[in-house]
Structures are given as C-alpha cells and as structure tokens.
Amino acid sequence: MNDETTGTQDTSAGSPGEGRATGPRPEPLRFFGTTWVNHDNGYTARRVATAVGSLAAAVAACLVLRFAYQGIQIADVGSFVTLLVIVMFAICSALAFGHTWETFRKRPDPDRQASLRGLLGIGFVGSLLAYFFRSLVEAPGEKLQRQEYEAALAQHEKRTSRRTRNPSKRRRGA
C-alpha cells in the first residue's frame, strides 16, 4: 500500500519500487498503470491492444465522418460548404495530431489545453492516430514519465544519501 501523504511505499505487495522502502512513486499512465516502469505485467500486450484499439477507433471515426459527408451531400448545401467542412476536419485533425504528439514529449500548459479543447474535439481522428503511432514505439507518454521519474529518483537518492544519522540525536558540543 502507498501512503499518499508521505510518499512511502509498502514493498510487501511487489510494488514498482520493490527493494526501496520510501521514495517517489511512478505516475500511472492511461491503460498501462505503472507497468511502464519495468515493462512487466502484460506491458507488451497492453501496447499491442492500445495500438489496435486506437487504430480501430480512428477507422470508426472516419466512417462516422463519411456518414456526415454523405449527409452534407444529401442536404445539397453546395460545393463551397462541403469543401469548407472537409478542410476544417483535415486542418483540425492535423493540429490535433501535432498537439497530442507534443504532449508525449512535454507536459502541456493547462490553460492552452483548455483553450484547444474544441479544436481537439473536432480533430479527434488526429489524436487517435497520434496515440496509435506512439503505441508502436512505447506507451504513449512513457518517455516523459520515465525522465521525470528517474529525475525524482536521483533527487531522492541524493537527498537521502547525505543523511547518515538522526540529527536529533547529535551530541551538542560541551
């Protein structure tokens, strides 16, 4: 069990930090939990499932967009509006792909993320494709999480290695 307030770990359950009694804990990734740390507990199967699932969702989304296109054709709104809708979805998908891909490398700014919510909603196919392509290489966001986790471990090791004794039991010079 992990203690949220102190950041300590109970190593009896085989937690990711097995062998360490205290220290930083890895942040879980969507669909992967903390299996990305040691690539265990079905990590490869999860990556395959994530890649297949995101590709299937992108294909299904494209079918839905095709039905929307056919609806526009049936409505006979004109070629300009049809072209405008197609270009809008293409541009929003490209921007969503780029933004999603970038979030795998660095943490997004929450204010910018909130302002792009509509664009990411319209360009959902691009986000799904970014998730698919990243799943082929690693768990989406794993590289960023690993860098942050290893930096936290190094900082924790540096902090704890300096303390060799309990400072409250130190003798006062008399």
Side-chain angles (χ1 to χ4, degrees):
M1 295 300 253
N2 292 330
D3 182 357
E4 294 294 327
T5 57
T6 62
T8 60
Q9 294 179 335
D10 176 10
T11 58
S12 62
S15 61
E18 198 165 321
R20 270 190 345 267
T22 62
R25 291 171 295 166
E27 187 176 327
L29 290 175
R30 179 182 293 156
F31 306 124
F32 293 91
T34 57
T35 61
W36 60 269
V37 177
N38 297 322
H39 292 187
D40 58 355
N41 296 332
Y43 171 81
T44 305
R46 290 176 192 224
R47 265 197 37 216
V48 169
T50 302
V52 169
S54 59
L55 184 61
V59 168
C62 288
L63 288 174
V64 169
L65 290 177
R66 177 164 168 80
F67 292 139
Y69 175 76
Q70 287 175 343
I72 291 172
Q73 290 292 323
I74 291 170
D76 195 27
V77 292
S79 60
F80 177 72
V81 173
T82 303
L83 181 65
L84 195 62
V85 169
I86 291 171
V87 169
M88 177 199 61
F89 272 107
I91 290 173
C92 288
S93 291
L95 291 172
F97 179 92
H99 177 74
T100 304
W101 192 265
E102 192 66 24
T103 62
F104 297 143
R105 292 186 357 184
K106 65 179 184 176
R107 292 230 180 243
D109 177 33
D111 294 333
R112 185 170 185 264
Q113 186 80 5
S115 68
L116 292 176
R117 191 174 314 238
L119 179 124
L120 295 173
I122 294 169
F124 61 99
V125 175
S127 292
L128 289 169
L129 289 176
Y131 212 80
F132 166 71
F133 286 121
R134 196 57 169 201
S135 295
L136 296 176
V137 178
E138 65 178 6
E142 177 182 346
K143 185 177 182 180
L144 174 65
Q145 295 287 0
R146 189 169 300 283
Q147 289 172 345
E148 291 174 352
Y149 179 60
E150 288 175 353
L153 281 176
Q155 184 180 23
H156 175 73
E157 185 64 31
K158 183 178 173 186
R159 262 194 335 253
T160 57
S161 66
R162 284 187 281 171
R163 294 185 227 150
T164 57
R165 291 175 285 177
N166 187 346
S168 66
K169 293 183 179 181
R170 187 176 359 158
R171 285 189 187 167
R172 299 286 177 197

